[in-house]
Amino acid sequence: MVSLKLRKHLAASILTCGQCANTCLPFKVVCMCHICALCCLLKKICGAKKTDKHIYHSVYMLIKGNQFKNKHVLLETIYTMKAEKAKKKALAKQSE
């Protein structure tokens, strides 16, 4: 048999779960999980040699600053940064 005190506590916790958006999982925990998922994706991309260390560092700092809403935006930013870098390299090569 479960004690009366424990049953009351469990019933109270079930009732309070839907009162606020942060009750079940605090906002800090959700943000930490979101940042961790984006960092894992960035490490996966960098591990596949698709980015260099300069792009990696700048995007990593943007992730830590909570600049990206989702993975799609992150990938889009990486591709645009790579394209800009390639364009600058081509212009420098052409000017020589």
Side-chain angles (χ1 to χ4, degrees), residues 16-27 30:
T16 59
C17 190
Q19 289 180 354
C20 181
N22 297 336
T23 308
C24 294
L25 272 178
F27 185 69
V30 173

Side-chain angles (χ1 to χ4, degrees), residues 21-55:
N22 297 336
T23 308
C24 294
L25 272 178
F27 185 69
K28 268 189 175 179
V29 175
V30 173
C31 285
M32 286 170 50
C33 292
H34 176 72
I35 288 171
C36 183
L38 292 177
C39 284
C40 286
L41 178 65
L42 183 62
K43 286 178 188 174
K44 187 176 178 182
I45 290 170
C46 192
K49 303 292 183 196
K50 292 186 179 183
T51 60
D52 62 344
K53 62 182 179 180
H54 303 292
I55 293 176

